Amino acid sequence: MKLLNQSVKYLSISILLIIGVWGTVLFFNIADEVKENVDEGLENYKRQIIFKAKQDSSFIRQVNLNESFYSIQKLPSNQIYSGLNVFSDTLIKVQDADDVAPRLAPVRMLTTTFTDNQDNYELKILNPMIENEDLIERLFANMVFLYISLIFAIVLINNIVLRRVWKPFYGLLNQIKNFRLGKRNEIPEIQTKTKEFLDLQMAIDTLLNQNIRIYEQQKTFIGNAAHELQTPLGISINKLELLLEQGDLGDQQATELVKIMGIIERLTRLNKSLLLLSKIENRQFIEEKEIEFNHLIKLELESLSDIIDFKKIKVKVIEKGRFLKNMNPSLAHILISNLLRNALFHNTHKGEITIEITKKQLSITNSGVDHKLDADLIYKSFYKESSKNENTGLGLSIVKAIIDISKLSISYNYKKGFHSFHLKK
């Protein structure tokens, strides 16, 4: 989830919880206030009825609540009554002009006692709550509507305000995503007065400038190393070839010179592999375009046809789709070349290589040693399953480095004498 959405989410939830609690408390307070007003009215009715009952005995004969909003019942005189007011909510049957049959309606009842001429009476007074209930229901509906409106308003306003606040951050983030070492691009910058964003930009400027400086130093070093190391190695091989061409060397001397030439040639290949690995890890291969690996595999198999024929390897290509990927063309060529050479050089005489290509996966399977390789070590530099001198032990290390920077994945498995490497998008 984006930082902006998280900010809106937590801020909105916090505000809505506060408003929800406040609205609930407000609703119940208003409902209590309505009941208090009704109770005050009942007390006023009580005082008026008691006053009139003491003045006019006809009021005392009102004993049925169905005939009026109050009733008076005579109580036994041998008991003591407190005269306290007791308020309660109850239901009574009422029938309006438009009602077919009586219906239950909510009322507020006051029950109390009073004394007149040494006689005790119980007084019950009713106050219909229909209008008050309607008022509370309307109040509740309005509060729900207000709450829902606030939800949309808060989310909308927070989204607009926070999007504007975080706009410099996302602009800086996009510039950093598009920044590439080795390309002529400007250091990311943002237009803002927010101190935290300005501090972030300063930290990024420092970090990028340091990386650019280190990158240029490494690039220069790699270029110089390639030239300085390859030159003496090439000269040494040429001089050894001249000595062999003179023909005045003994057989033993010639054999030793050939061994020395093999060692120097291996050093040359090792030097090239190390320089290549360093360039890959330092991301000096920048240009990218869509590569069709089906065509690339066919070209590489043609270049390796002599070795394939010499080892009498049976190669089978199964195409179930086109494997396409945006990446550097040189790295794509090196990737396929190293995988195919690994399958070829570590194969058995008259062995097999099966290449299966789908839209999402490229698999290279070869016959080889009759045991599983260590999946944790095969991509390590200088790890060699065999002790062949011509093997530098960097082929799969280079493959893994290319995989990591190209956003691909690779896996290895072994089954019944066949080793497989699976390349996936």
Side-chain angles (χ1 to χ4, degrees), residues 148-163:
I148 295 174
S149 301
L150 283 173
I151 290 176
F152 287 105
I154 289 171
V155 172
L156 181 62
I157 293 173
N158 283 344
N159 198 31
I160 294 174
V161 172
L162 292 179
R163 188 180 296 276

Side-chain angles (χ1 to χ4, degrees), residues 318-339:
I318 304 172
E319 294 186 80
K320 297 181 180 179
R322 297 170 65 211
F323 190 88
L324 304 174
K325 174 65 178 173
N326 283 326
M327 62 182 299
N328 182 268
S330 298
L331 292 183
H333 174 78
I334 294 168
L335 173 63
I336 295 302
S337 176
N338 281 16
L339 285 174

Side-chain angles (χ1 to χ4, degrees), residues 239-256:
K239 288 188 175 181
L240 291 174
E241 288 175 347
L242 289 175
L243 286 174
L244 289 174
E245 289 175 357
Q246 288 179 0
D248 56 353
L249 298 174
D251 292 342
Q252 185 177 357
Q253 292 174 323
T255 301
E256 293 299 323

Side-chain angles (χ1 to χ4, degrees), residues 31-151:
D32 290 340
E33 188 67 28
V34 170
K35 285 188 176 182
E36 286 181 7
N37 289 332
V38 172
D39 293 346
E40 288 180 4
L42 288 172
E43 288 186 0
N44 290 331
Y45 287 140
K46 169 196 139 179
R47 287 190 290 269
Q48 294 176 17
I49 291 171
I50 293 175
F51 176 77
K52 290 182 179 181
K54 291 181 178 181
Q55 299 294 326
D56 185 356
S57 61
S58 63
F59 275 84
I60 298 177
R61 291 195 294 271
Q62 178 63 38
V63 297
N64 196 334
L65 286 172
N66 294 329
E67 298 175 0
S68 181
F69 69 94
Y70 74 95
S71 68
I72 300 176
Q73 296 283 346
K74 188 174 182 181
L75 297 173
S77 59
N78 56 354
Q79 295 183 14
I80 299 176
Y81 300 97
S82 64
L84 296 177
N85 297 331
V86 178
F87 297 95
S88 61
D89 294 319
T90 185
L91 297 172
I92 63 170
K93 287 186 177 182
V94 297
Q95 185 174 8
D96 295 333
D98 56 348
D99 292 334
V100 178
R103 60 185 176 87
L104 292 176
V107 296
R108 185 75 168 168
M109 178 183 289
L110 167 61
T111 302
T112 186
T113 60
F114 68 94
T115 302
D116 182 27
N117 296 326
Q118 297 182 351
D119 292 327
N120 297 318
Y121 297 92
E122 179 186 64
L123 172 63
K124 291 184 178 180
I125 308 174
L126 299 180
N127 190 344
M129 293 289 291
I130 296 177
E131 294 182 358
N132 294 320
E133 289 289 331
D134 291 341
L135 175 62
I136 293 175
E137 288 179 2
R138 289 196 298 270
L139 175 63
F140 178 76
N142 289 331
M143 291 192 66
V144 170
F145 175 76
L146 176 62
Y147 188 76
I148 295 174
S149 301
L150 283 173
I151 290 176

Side-chain angles (χ1 to χ4, degrees), residues 312-373:
K312 297 181 180 180
I313 302 294
K314 181 181 178 181
V315 179
K316 183 179 180 181
V317 180
I318 304 172
E319 294 186 80
K320 297 181 180 179
R322 297 170 65 211
F323 190 88
L324 304 174
K325 174 65 178 173
N326 283 326
M327 62 182 299
N328 182 268
S330 298
L331 292 183
H333 174 78
I334 294 168
L335 173 63
I336 295 302
S337 176
N338 281 16
L339 285 174
L340 290 177
R341 288 175 182 272
N342 180 75
L344 186 59
F345 295 149
H346 295 282
N347 213 320
T348 57
H349 187 66
K350 296 183 180 181
E352 299 178 21
I353 294 178
T354 301
I355 303 169
E356 184 174 339
I357 308 171
T358 67
K359 187 177 179 180
K360 297 290 185 180
Q361 179 173 293
L362 190 157
S363 301
I364 299 177
T365 303
N366 64 277
S367 52
V369 294
D370 195 17
H371 63 84
K372 186 177 181 179
L373 303 178

Side-chain angles (χ1 to χ4, degrees), residues 168-180 185-191 201 204 208:
F169 171 79
Y170 284 110
L172 180 63
L173 184 61
N174 288 330
Q175 293 182 63
I176 295 173
K177 286 180 179 179
N178 297 324
F179 186 86
R180 295 291 182 273
N185 41 27
E186 297 180 356
I187 299 294
E189 63 176 328
I190 54 176
Q191 300 296 328
Q201 181 180 351
I204 291 173
L208 288 180

